[in-house]
Amino acid sequence: MITPLKKLKDGVPYTRPPEIEQALEALSKLPIEEVVRRASTTDSKDAEFVPSECVLHFVRKSKLNGDSAPYCDLFVILRKRVVGAVPVFDRRVRGLTKPGNSISETDAQELVLQKFQELLCLDRAQYEERLDFYEVRFNSALAALRVTAQRSVTRRESYLEPMQYDGDTLALSGEMEKAIAHLKTTNYTSEEDYLYRSRLLAAIKSLPPAERQVIELLLQGNTLVTIAKLLGCVEQTVRNRRNRAHATIRKMMQEEDVV
């Protein structure tokens, strides 16, 4: 017998659609390895296609059956379906010869996957009723989570003003200085702040070694004069590396100019 759901709506427990209950009854009689094989089918029109509601049910059930390889395989399959439900499309980006991706779409996809996996982790410790809706209407539940993630990303982008430069010399503006200095603190005040820091750190990490070294030394509190002595070069060289690094960081942090 398939375990009933516990979440209540208007005092009545959630119930799975009849077709999902029937699919679960049939799948529960099969070896778990066969369930995995069928769940690997991506064509929803295939007779052996396993609905995502059923895949989730068996993933949740894994805590009662141990983390054997087949159940781990089901988790991987479910994870791919979540990622596929929040696609990131290749786009033509001005200045690039290869297609690029929207940072907003990428952030939304990562946030949806993070939130969904958090629910799964909570469910392993103690029954998480919020997952019951996913066992009833997986796509609808995921769509709602996607909307929430997109709103979160949009709020973050509206909160963070584009970083600007003062003049043609590429001297840092106050906003850039504050953005870089912000990395020195460890007081993460919000999820948006964490994602912003992650993007900024990723931009710094992608810099050429010489430019990244200058930024890292600046983050440690060193002056340009001190950095020049440490690196054995003139101060102007340090300034040039810093300015090139800031130009790269600014370009990566700004929203892509999609055409």
Side-chain angles (χ1 to χ4, degrees):
M1 179 178 178
I2 304 302
T3 305
L5 300 174
K6 297 181 180 180
K7 186 174 178 61
L8 302 178
K9 182 178 181 180
D10 299 327
V12 180
Y14 272 34
T15 57
R16 304 178 185 88
E19 63 272 18
I20 298 301
E21 286 284 352
Q22 293 171 9
L24 285 175
E25 288 287 352
L27 290 168
S28 64
K29 298 175 183 178
L30 301 175
I32 187 62
E33 290 79 9
E34 175 62 14
V35 175
V36 173
R37 188 192 68 79
R38 296 190 181 193
S40 300
T41 301
T42 57
D43 184 1
S44 60
K45 296 180 180 179
D46 192 302
E48 291 190 338
F49 178 78
V50 178
S52 297
E53 291 86 351
C54 297
V55 179
L56 173 59
H57 173 81
F58 282 100
V59 169
R60 297 180 77 181
K61 188 177 178 181
S62 67
K63 64 182 179 182
L64 304 176
N65 296 274
D67 293 320
S68 61
Y71 286 102
C72 291
D73 291 339
L74 282 176
F75 168 74
V76 173
I77 291 171
L78 185 62
R79 187 181 186 279
K80 289 181 179 179
R81 293 194 183 189
V82 173
V83 172
V86 193
V88 175
F89 300 101
D90 286 341
R91 301 176 183 275
R92 290 180 54 217
V93 181
R94 184 175 298 159
L96 296 179
T97 57
K98 296 182 179 180
N101 299 131
S102 166
I103 291 178
S104 299
E105 289 179 356
T106 302
D107 286 351
Q109 184 187 73
E110 292 177 351
L111 191 53
V112 166
L113 184 59
Q114 173 191 334
K115 291 298 185 182
F116 183 75
Q117 291 182 157
E118 285 178 358
L119 290 177
L120 287 177
C121 290
L122 290 172
D123 189 64
R124 295 192 70 79
Q126 184 176 355
Y127 193 91
E128 178 52 66
E129 292 187 351
R130 284 177 292 179
L131 279 177
D132 285 1
F133 183 37
Y134 290 81
E135 281 203 49
V136 175
R137 290 281 186 267
F138 186 86
N139 290 336
S140 297
L142 207 57
L145 184 56
R146 182 173 65 245
V147 170
T148 300
Q150 290 171 337
R151 286 176 179 171
S152 179
V153 171
T154 300
R155 284 199 304 270
R156 183 201 66 207
E157 291 181 344
S158 63
Y159 172 75
L160 301 171
E161 297 180 359
M163 292 179 286
Q164 302 293 335
Y165 284 93
D166 297 329
D168 297 331
T169 61
L170 293 182
L172 279 180
S173 69
E175 287 303 314
M176 175 63 88
E177 291 284 10
K178 287 189 290 184
I180 296 295
H182 195 45
L183 292 176
K184 297 179 182 179
T185 68
T186 57
N187 183 24
Y188 296 157
T189 57
S190 68
E191 181 174 277
E192 288 82 0
D193 191 37
Y194 172 78
L195 291 173
Y196 174 66
R197 290 164 181 266
S198 298
R199 288 174 58 194
L200 189 54
L201 286 170
I204 293 174
K205 187 177 180 181
S206 70
L207 294 171
E211 295 173 14
R212 185 174 68 248
Q213 187 177 40
V214 169
I215 296 299
E216 290 173 346
L217 288 171
L218 284 171
L219 287 173
Q220 294 172 12
N222 295 292
T223 64
L224 296 179
V225 175
T226 301
I227 295 174
K229 292 180 180 179
L230 290 172
L231 300 180
C233 59
V234 297
E235 185 179 341
Q236 186 57 48
T237 298
V238 176
R239 290 182 183 276
N240 291 340
R241 292 177 182 175
R242 181 201 65 179
N243 292 342
R244 286 197 300 270
H246 289 151
T248 301
I249 294 171
R250 174 176 178 264
K251 183 177 181 180
M252 294 186 68
M253 293 297 294
Q254 281 184 320
E255 184 175 359
E256 293 97 329
D257 185 9
V258 181
V259 296

